Amino acid sequence: MGKYFVLVSAEGKKRDVHRAFLAANCEVFEAMLQSDTVEAKSRRCQMEDVSSATMDIRLDHMCSTQSLQGAVRDVLVAAGKHQMQGLKTACLRTLLACC
């Protein structure tokens, strides 16, 4: 099974995206990639109702959310070490909101 999956916008713009990244960031893609779907077999998803700009924004959002979660986790660990309860609470709220 290949590592990459091709997303195709309504205009035909293609983006190669790692399957694990898609599955980790979108429940719909996770279900699609774990099932015996046409998309999973062809490693391609034609999104006829999604423009290229919208597709790129969605992928950017997935990347920035992942980066934010990583940064917040680091701050959470540091806040725990320094017994900063207010900061720990804020970090936990942020992480829960991302999920």
Side-chain angles (χ1 to χ4, degrees), residues 16-60:
D16 292 334
V17 184
H18 200 284
R19 295 167 62 95
F21 175 80
L22 282 176
N25 287 284
C26 179
E27 292 176 11
V28 172
F29 283 119
E30 179 182 27
M32 179 189 299
L33 294 169
Q34 292 178 354
S35 301
D36 192 29
T37 62
V38 171
E39 293 87 358
K41 289 178 185 175
S42 67
R43 296 188 314 236
R44 176 186 177 99
C45 180
Q46 178 71 43
M47 300 184 295
E48 295 176 4
D49 58 342
V50 178
S51 71
S52 297
T54 299
M55 180 175 68
D56 288 343
I57 290 168
R58 288 170 61 183
L59 291 172
D60 287 345

